[in-house]
Amino acid sequence: MARGTVQHFRILESWRLSAALAVMVYHFLRYAPGDQRPASEVLERFLPLMDMFFMISGFLIMMRYADTLLEGRRAIGRFFVRRLMRIYPLYLFTLAFFAAVGLAAQAGLFEPRWHGRYDFAVFWQHVLLVQGWGLSEGLAFNYVGWTLSAEWFCYLLFPLIVLVYRVGGAAGLLVLLAAVVAGLELAVAGGLIPFEHWMLADTWGAYRAFADFVIGALVAVAVRHQPQRAASHLPAWIAFLAALVAMYSEREPYLVLALLTGALYLAAAAEHANPAGARFLTPLHPVGRVSFGIYLLHPVVETVLLAGLWGLVLERTGLVPFFVYWYLPMAAAIAAAMLSERFFETPVARRIAARTGGASRPAAAVQAGGAG
């Protein structure tokens, strides 16, 4: 792909949107009446979709910046500014919202649903986006923010990925991936990362995300060097379905990771060579492009419409069934994300870019929606 060429990966966008919606459904299900543990346990099996988030981000960033990142200190600086202004304004807004809610809880206005949700001792970790680096024992404030912390960690180390690629090519990236995975396995075995497997880590999610990011970069290298010939998109969907079946069946995590990697490569390679084959996904674009906003804003909607309006008012009245009502917060999260992208995120990013000499828009030249 030539420099400056804009390519939209619709399949990847649709997968990230599906994952964001699945996460939202999983979190909203906590407010359903009765015992919803069986349904929640089923949805928990699909948590490796978070690794797909990071893999797609690594792929997109590598496709966009592999040739230009090391062209000078200013290029690296512009990269950091562009990536930060893509994720930080909305993240900071949600953090401020939950800080205000936390202050209300401290004032005794309500009782938090779980202990430590509004722990101001770790507030500055959240401001600095380091809460996913193994510095906290639990999630706090906007609990999904750990993924933004992990993403920022990957952005900071992305120049290393490009440098390794420039020096050692794809083989160098494979060595880097092997070293990172070996380090993660040792950290889990030694109890440093307190999770059964590193693919389940959240408070230590930065290091999990970096492994996924390197995988995404490797896929980008493979796609960039493949012959430009028409390709079917069907194998990508089959591979993605196989990954979902493996998650549901609770197969070996590395098998799931391999299937997700294969699905990412097949989808990206097919659409890179045959973009027209994914045009049927075009109607999803208005929502798909704001999957990042849906993911980050749905805990805010959850607090207002589920913990608030539903939990304090509607649930006790019995006027409306939960599984009818919950479409309202889902629709509200999607609408809030679309409004945020148009009236908040893009204008703020343009103002920051104008002051720093960056691009007028935060979107990368290779797109699939979301934070990547």
Side-chain angles (χ1 to χ4, degrees):
M1 186 174 64
R3 271 189 177 187
T5 300
V6 175
Q7 180 166 2
H8 194 104
F9 289 88
R10 294 181 175 87
I11 298 176
L12 304 188
E13 179 179 79
S14 70
W15 289 355
R16 293 222 294 199
L17 173 62
S18 300
L21 294 176
V23 170
M24 178 171 65
V25 168
Y26 170 66
H27 289 150
F28 287 2
L29 193 61
R30 292 179 297 197
Y31 296 84
D35 185 4
Q36 300 299 329
R37 285 177 297 176
S40 295
E41 289 172 359
V42 168
L43 288 173
E44 284 176 358
R45 299 178 187 181
F46 296 98
L47 287 179
L49 286 173
M50 298 308 307
D51 294 279
M52 184 187 69
F53 266 80
F54 298 124
M55 290 163 59
I56 292 176
S57 289
F59 167 80
L60 296 173
I61 298 299
M62 191 69 172
M63 289 287 284
R64 171 67 178 89
Y65 290 103
D67 296 326
T68 61
L69 185 69
L70 300 183
E71 290 184 345
R73 293 181 180 178
R74 291 185 177 181
I76 295 177
R78 285 194 300 269
F79 169 77
F80 288 144
V81 169
R82 288 176 180 177
R83 301 324 304 165
L84 187 61
M85 72 182 184
R86 174 68 184 93
I87 65 174
Y88 198 67
L90 183 58
Y91 168 80
L92 189 61
F93 167 80
T94 65
L95 179 59
F97 171 84
F98 284 107
V101 174
L103 290 174
Q106 286 190 350
L109 298 181
F110 71 96
E111 184 69 26
R113 288 177 63 90
W114 71 76
H115 177 71
R117 173 70 186 273
Y118 304 106
D119 182 4
F120 281 90
V122 299
F123 178 73
W124 288 106
Q125 292 182 14
H126 291 255
V127 172
L128 298 173
L129 272 177
V130 298
Q131 73 270 30
W133 298 12
L135 303 176
S136 303
E137 294 184 359
L139 304 178
F141 299 101
N142 190 351
Y143 52 85
V144 302
W146 72 267
T147 59
L148 276 295
S149 174
E151 190 95 1
W152 178 236
F153 179 85
C154 294
Y155 293 159
L156 291 175
L157 289 185
F158 182 66
L160 172 64
I161 294 176
V162 176
L163 179 62
V164 169
Y165 172 62
R166 292 281 185 89
V167 173
L173 290 178
L174 282 171
V175 171
L176 176 61
L177 176 61
V180 173
V181 171
L184 287 167
E185 289 288 352
L186 289 173
V188 171
L192 178 61
I193 296 181
F195 291 87
E196 182 180 352
H197 195 278
W198 59 266
M199 285 177 64
L200 300 175
D202 46 33
T203 52
W204 288 78
Y207 314 102
R208 161 192 182 180
F210 186 65
D212 298 328
F213 222 76
V214 176
I215 292 173
L218 271 165
V219 171
V221 169
V223 170
R224 282 160 58 95
H225 290 90
Q226 73 159 2
Q228 290 291 317
R229 60 176 181 269
S232 170
H233 292 200
L234 181 60
W237 290 98
I238 294 174
F240 184 60
L241 178 60
L244 294 178
V245 171
M247 292 178 211
Y248 178 78
S249 305
E250 299 183 291
R251 300 297 183 184
E252 165 64 35
Y254 283 112
L255 172 62
V256 173
L257 196 65
L259 289 171
L260 286 174
T261 302
L264 173 60
Y265 170 75
L266 291 171
E271 197 162 357
H272 189 56
N274 179 23
R279 285 181 180 170
F280 71 96
L281 295 170
T282 300
L284 292 177
H285 178 60
V287 180
R289 66 181 293 171
V290 299
S291 58
F292 164 67
I294 294 171
Y295 179 77
L296 198 56
L297 284 168
H298 83 264
V300 174
V301 174
E302 172 192 346
T303 300
V304 176
L305 295 182
L306 288 171
L309 181 58
W310 172 259
L312 298 178
V313 180
L314 295 178
E315 184 177 21
R316 65 189 65 180
T317 67
L319 293 176
V320 57
F322 175 82
F323 289 106
V324 173
Y325 174 79
W326 80 334
Y327 289 106
L328 173 62
M330 289 183 192
I334 294 172
M338 296 178 73
L339 291 171
S340 172
E341 192 272 341
R342 180 173 181 179
F343 296 108
F344 176 63
E345 296 168 69
T346 298
V348 169
R350 284 174 173 168
R351 290 178 184 176
I352 296 174
R355 293 184 179 182
T356 59
S360 60
R361 293 186 72 247
V366 183
Q367 303 174 4

